[in-house]
Amino acid sequence: AMKRKSVHDAGALHAAHPYGVQPCGNLFTSSQPSIREHGLGQFRVLPDELLLQVLGEFDALLLNQLAACSRAFYIFTHHEEPWKSWTLRDFAETGFTFRQDWRHTYLQRWRRASMQPASPRAFAGLFSDTLFQPWMYAMMHIQAAWTARDNIDRRYNLSAAEFVEQYEKPGKPVILTDVVKTWPCFAKWNWDYLREKCKDTRFAARAAKLTLPEFQAYMNEAKEEMPLYIFDRDFATKCPVLGQDYSVPPQFGEDLFSVLGKDRPDYRWIIIGASRSGSAWHVDPNFTSAWNGVVRGKKKWLLYPPNQIPPGVFPSADGAEVTQPVSICEWFFNYYKQTKAGPRPLECVLSEGEVLFIPSRWWHLVLNLTESIAITQNFVTPRNLQSVLRFLRDKREQVAGCGKDGATLFERFRAALNEHRPELDTSIPEPRKKEPAKQLAVEETAHFSFGFG
């Protein structure tokens, strides 16, 4: 993530930080002296970011002892990130019940006993963007201006042939409004149904594996900048009825990766998330295309074509890394206005009952506007086959979804295609000679990841 921009006040926020923290800029106009230098002792020489990293190396007992040393240490040791990291590290496999905040959640799970919620104590005199901004973006309302633009085609009764000619071949996103509504899950899926069918099934939510009651408790109580979301590739194996409750839209029915059978890369996920969760800017893995169908809730989408990198996003020359704001709300707050000045992105609010087609190599960002449930799949067709093959051959270290077998996916995929689909052309030109970094084509700089939608 990139270095955060300084913030001088809370802007549209209507509450004070629960521990009294203020942004750094307020120090210049405050009559309250800083408590940082005296309160941190020898630790005062460390920048706030480094100090939090050091505190994260301590254990819970020592952190609690430090909290009693000074007002400054009290505030720093109550910062959420170390406690969140410990919770996801120590209880990833066994789960946890979220209570009040990450510190309370960790201590209750660590002690294996219930704890009474404790009200935070606010102290004046600590000025820190590092501590203030995660809280600010967690509390910030989703602004109406962020969701106003809607410029993606919506189509009803679009045939598979029309989809290919009008949208897939040109590489143009489109929303289908009549597909998801035919799925059994559109009538069935609510929390009661999912809890009944999935029982004690644990779903992947970042590093954690949580049951649906555990995840629901988290969604109901957590207030954080980057909320967890369920993004599980094995949902149909863990709970087969979920895989039976939907079908691939006929417009997206062909997927050439299916020639690999069970050895194909990861390709489908169930996505469950709270409002404000989502996926930062990325390009989908292995240069595949994708579709995302919303069963419950609403999602804000922004998309840029392959030749246009979004503002505030800085991919590395080889496409392996991308630098961008820490969270989606931070990107909206600092960069969304810039989308009006340069080439405009395609945007929409995808509502329940709608499915969006995302063409190969398109940048996209997704922000949940409400609690949401969705199904997404990535796929390869003859139209994007050459691009996928070239990526698998030339970017072997970046191939995703195959574990340790990614480096050989190109050979295995091409061999299977030649056997099962001999009519397809699987020959691709030899890699072109590398040019200076500033002249690299966007295809060479596109960042991809398995992301949320």
Side-chain angles (χ1 to χ4, degrees), residues 322-334:
V322 65
T323 300
Q324 60 182 310
V326 172
S327 67
I328 302 170
C329 280
E330 182 180 0
W331 182 87
F332 268 101
F333 184 74
N334 289 297

Side-chain angles (χ1 to χ4, degrees), residues 13-31:
L13 298 178
H14 300 288
H17 190 284
Y19 295 101
V21 179
Q22 298 181 58
C24 285
N26 287 23
L27 176 62
F28 299 104
T29 58
S30 175
S31 59

Side-chain angles (χ1 to χ4, degrees), residues 102-417:
W102 284 107
R103 179 179 178 274
H104 190 87
T105 299
Y106 182 86
L107 292 175
Q108 180 171 263
R109 185 68 174 80
W110 180 52
R111 293 171 176 170
R112 299 184 181 181
S114 61
M115 295 171 52
Q116 291 297 321
S119 299
R121 298 182 62 186
F123 296 106
L126 190 60
F127 305 88
S128 169
D129 287 342
T130 300
L131 300 182
F132 181 82
Q133 291 193 18
W135 171 83
M136 182 188 80
Y137 291 120
M139 299 301 294
M140 184 178 291
H141 296 302
I142 295 174
Q143 299 176 17
W146 299 352
T147 62
R149 273 190 267 172
D150 202 314
N151 55 8
I152 297 179
D153 288 355
R154 279 182 163 81
R155 298 293 301 271
Y156 175 85
N157 199 27
L158 183 71
S159 70
E162 289 172 328
F163 163 74
V164 170
E165 293 300 320
Q166 298 176 28
Y167 295 99
E168 188 185 17
K169 284 184 177 179
K172 181 180 179 183
V174 63
I175 298 169
L176 307 181
T177 62
D178 56 339
V179 175
V180 176
K181 295 171 185 175
T182 67
W183 293 348
C185 63
F186 189 70
K188 295 179 181 179
W189 283 11
N190 55 42
W191 280 109
D192 290 337
Y193 176 86
L194 293 175
R195 282 195 300 266
E196 176 190 351
K197 296 299 181 181
C198 300
K199 300 187 184 305
D200 298 325
T201 302
R202 292 197 173 276
F203 293 95
R206 195 168 153 182
K209 296 178 181 177
L210 302 177
T211 64
L212 290 181
E214 288 172 341
F215 186 72
Q216 192 174 18
Y218 164 80
M219 288 200 304
N220 290 341
E221 292 209 29
K223 301 289 185 184
E224 56 179 341
E225 181 182 13
M226 295 179 290
L228 298 179
Y229 56 89
I230 286 176
F231 187 67
D232 197 298
R233 65 187 180 186
D234 299 318
F235 71 97
T237 302
K238 296 175 178 178
C239 190
V241 69
L242 299 184
Q244 300 164 9
D245 278 348
Y246 81 99
S247 58
V248 177
Q251 295 85 349
F252 318 132
E254 186 174 32
D255 183 2
L256 297 178
F257 266 145
S258 64
V259 299
L260 290 169
K262 62 181 178 59
D263 295 323
R264 64 166 301 150
D266 301 334
Y267 70 105
R268 62 178 178 176
W269 296 263
I270 190 172
I271 308 164
I272 306 176
S275 173
R276 306 167 58 80
S277 62
S279 179
W281 285 106
H282 67 283
V283 172
D284 277 341
N286 305 332
F287 280 3
T288 54
S289 298
W291 57 263
N292 187 292
V294 179
V295 181
R296 293 288 177 266
K298 292 184 177 182
K299 299 171 178 285
K300 172 66 181 184
W301 283 76
L302 285 88
L303 303 98
Y304 275 105
N307 62 351
Q308 182 63 47
I309 297 174
V313 176
F314 305 94
S316 61
D318 64 357
E321 302 291 339
V322 65
T323 300
Q324 60 182 310
V326 172
S327 67
I328 302 170
C329 280
E330 182 180 0
W331 182 87
F332 268 101
F333 184 74
N334 289 297
Y335 291 100
Y336 183 69
K337 289 182 180 178
Q338 295 184 23
T339 65
K340 300 178 182 180
R344 291 203 168 190
L346 292 183
E347 303 182 44
C348 71
V349 172
L350 195 67
S351 299
E352 59 186 54
E354 298 182 327
V355 61
L356 173 65
F357 165 65
I358 305 100
S360 171
R361 300 190 295 119
W362 274 63
W363 288 91
H364 48 284
L365 170 148
V366 191
L367 174 65
N368 275 331
L369 303 178
T370 65
E371 186 177 294
S372 300
I373 305 175
I375 298 290
T376 187
Q377 289 196 185
N378 291 70
F379 62 102
V380 183
T381 73
R383 270 71 63 186
N384 66 340
L385 176 60
Q386 289 292 311
S387 180
V388 170
L389 285 172
R390 189 177 298 110
F391 179 89
L392 298 181
R393 183 195 66 184
D394 299 344
K395 301 284 187 179
R396 294 174 187 264
E397 72 283 358
Q398 297 179 30
V399 172
C402 299
K404 297 179 180 179
D405 298 326
T408 63
L409 181 57
F410 170 71
E411 286 78 14
R412 292 186 289 113
F413 185 35
R414 188 161 70 167
L417 286 171

